[in-house]
Every structure is written in C-alpha cells, then in structure tokens.
Amino acid sequence: MNIETLCVQGAYSPKNGEPRVMPIVQSTTYKYESSDYMGKLFDLEEDGFFYTRLENPTTNYVEKKIAMLEGGVGAMLTSSGQAATMAAVMNIAGAGDHIICSAACYGGTFNLLGVTLEKYGISTTFVDPDAPLDELQKAVQPNTKAVLGETISNPSLVVLDFDKFAELAHSNGIPLIVDNTFATPVLCKPFELGADIVVHSTSKYLDGHACALGGIVIDGGTFDWEASADKFPGLTTPDESYHGIIYTKKFGKAAYITKALVQLMRDMGMTPAPMNSFLLNLGTETLHLRMERHSENALKVAKFLEADPRVEWVNYPGLESNKYYPLVQKYLPNGASGVVSFGVKGGRAAAVKVLDSLKIAAIVTHVADARTCALHPASSTHRQLTDEQLIECGVKPELIRFSVGIENADDIIADLDQALGK
Ligand SMILES: *Cc1c(COP(=O)(O)O)cnc(C)c1O
C-alpha cells in the first residue's frame, strides 16, 4: 500500500463486528486465566499485554502504523519527543560513551545531550553539519556509539546531508539516528537514505492539532549490531534482568526496539497515555494531506517574503535561492515542510511590532500544527541573551519563526502583509 492508504488505514483492521474506529483501551492491566501464562509474558516467551507501562492495545496500533509509514521493523511510542530522543540514545549508550550530534538541532536535544546526559557520563560532540566528511571524522572516538541529525532542523532549517552523515556513522560501525519531526515520513523516509533509527516528536505534524504531546522511536532493522558487537554489549550479551536473553539472538532485526521497550520503558516509564495515542492516530489519518498543504503554503509565503522590500532575509529550504535547495531536491522532492523563518528590516523592535500585529498567525511556542503560528525567539525562548549572544548562537535579534498552517495561503499572506505594513 502507498503511504496515503497507510495513513488512513494502516495497522488497524477490525474483524467481523469489531469497532470500525480504533478504540481507546483505557485500562492499566489485562486479565489472564493462568499464572503460568502470565509468567511466560514476563519472560518474553509469549506475546501479549500485561501492564500499560509496557504495552497497550491502542498505543500498539499507532506504533505499528507509524512503523509502517516509516518502513521500519518496530516502534515505541513515548510520552514526549524528549523521551523518544532520550530512549534512542540511552538504549545504546551508557556512562563512558560518546555521541556525535549535528549542531543544527532542536534546543531540547542540545540540552538533553550537552547538559543532562553529560551528567550521567554520556558526552557529546556537536559538529558543524556543513563540515566536509574528513573534518567530521575527527570527532569520532573509540567510545562513540551513534551519530544524530535532524532531517530539517528546528529552528535553523538545515537539511541533513544523509549521504555524508550515513557514511560518517557506518564507516565507524555505529548507527545513524535521525529526528524526522519536521519532514514526517510523508516528505522523507530516512531509512531509505541510510538512517538506522528514526525519532519524532509526535507533538508536531504527526498529531498536527497541538492536542497531544508524544514521541516515537522507530527501528529500521538495518543496523548489524553483531558486526559491532564490542560496541553494543547491551544488545549482544545476556540481559540478566530477563534470565540472560540476548536481544540480537532472540529478536533479530527488532533487537534494538525490543530492548528499548522491555528494558528502558519497563525501568523508566515514559509511557504515553492511551487517550493520547488515540488522538495521535486521528492526526496521522490526515498527515499526507496536511504535509502537502503545509509545504505548498510555506513555499507561497516564503516567495512572498523574499519579494517584499520590508523583509531583510528569508530562510526556507524549499526556495531555489536557499543554500540547502540542492539537498531538498535530493531528499525532499515532495516539499520542504511548513516552517519558514525570516527577518524584518528594523531589527528586534520591528520584529516585535510585526508579531504583535498578526491576526491569523497566533503567538505560541509551538510549531508544526494545522494553525499558522509565529514566535520571536529574541523576546521569548532566548530573551535572556543580548543581541551579540543571539548572533553567536545563530538566532538573529530580528528572526521570526513562522509555522505555516493549512489555512488559505492568500489569507496567511494578507495577514503578513498588513502586519509588515504596521
Ligand atoms: C519539539 C521537538 C522535540 C521535542 O519534542 P517534545 O514532544 O516537545 O518533547 C524534539 N525534536 C524536534 C525536532 C522537535 O521539534
């Protein structure tokens, strides 16, 4: 089936007389007829639900659907995107290990790796995504366990050079983890481009309605853990907490995602609520339509801004003038998603005036949902920084992050036009 059909019907196919719509299974626990059977579930000898911290039927369907959309072998939903990135890394890295991450990454990822996981003994080198491969190779250490990047980075809108980052990872016997939040599987399929693990903040386009926080880790089943067995003992040597099972031996291609679920989810409990999984599923049913319209509208908005003399600069990778346009043609041929950033003439004060004058576009911290929204980092998320510090971290004082929704593009542009007029 094609991705449009999978978005609408993937994973859930009711049998005779069952609910047409995937139900919300609002139950923490599941009943069994014998304690012997229950024991087999705990030993991972039988497949089945026993406690919603680990698995829940509603959550399970959505995991299967998103795994199908991405073309992976299995997936694990989490309570937020942050939890997904955390689990993706901690599943293969521990104290004394090292991670390489593109410096063009989400602020939450930067803090998770650079601040919090650092305290638990996992260190990270942030690399310039535009550096040539031989330069990037210098960041690799004997204890490096993964390379991370974002398909389209939030908020800097850098497009990942998949060939280069996959080569960096695979030539060193380690997996490439890609955050595909901004592109979604509708616009980009990282597993076809060399990624081994994909993560999402489902709070963004996958939900698409800004109503349920969530995240997901998807396993491509592509990485040969046994070929790098010395680097990944957690997957290739016995897990004493499950009577000595070896994940690669018992679960084959699904070793990574099975370990994430039965070990990390069991012990850390960043579980999504069944209600949120249900809402996420509703979002995915229209994902293919929304991503098409987000991309179309964003391109129109970016072209309008680029031609407007009141605007100093525009950053949208789908514009032919953009530095990453060749990578968009190569990896995102169906659209460059919905987020545009731009700077107005007149600096910080003018940016605030434009933002406050917008009527359709709401001022919110969120990005990537059906409604157009905007944010001025210099007066919100980055307000403690001086203009000089802002420029140093790549956020110009006049920068407006504009998340183009699926309303009528002419209305969005008219709103921007009147706000720029103020
Ligand atoms: C929002 C976001 C996250 C974090 O997700 P939450 O659901 O907010 O925890 C991670 N990566 C990217 C690219 C994001 O945009």
Side-chain angles (χ1 to χ4, degrees), residues 80-82 106 150 154 179 181-182 201 203-204 214:
S80 71
Q82 283 302 110
Y106 177 64
E150 293 178 21
N154 176 13
D179 183 331
T181 298
F182 269 20
S201 164
S203 324
K204 315 293 167 55

Side-chain angles (χ1 to χ4, degrees), residues 78-85 105-109 150-155 179-182 199-204 212-216 365-368 401:
T78 57
S79 50
S80 71
Q82 283 302 110
T85 310
C105 68
Y106 177 64
T109 304
E150 293 178 21
T151 307
I152 304 172
S153 67
N154 176 13
D179 183 331
N180 199 30
T181 298
F182 269 20
V199 297
H200 282 274
S201 164
T202 64
S203 324
K204 315 293 167 55
L213 217 70
I216 193 162
T365 336
H366 197 55
V367 277
R401 185 179 71 184

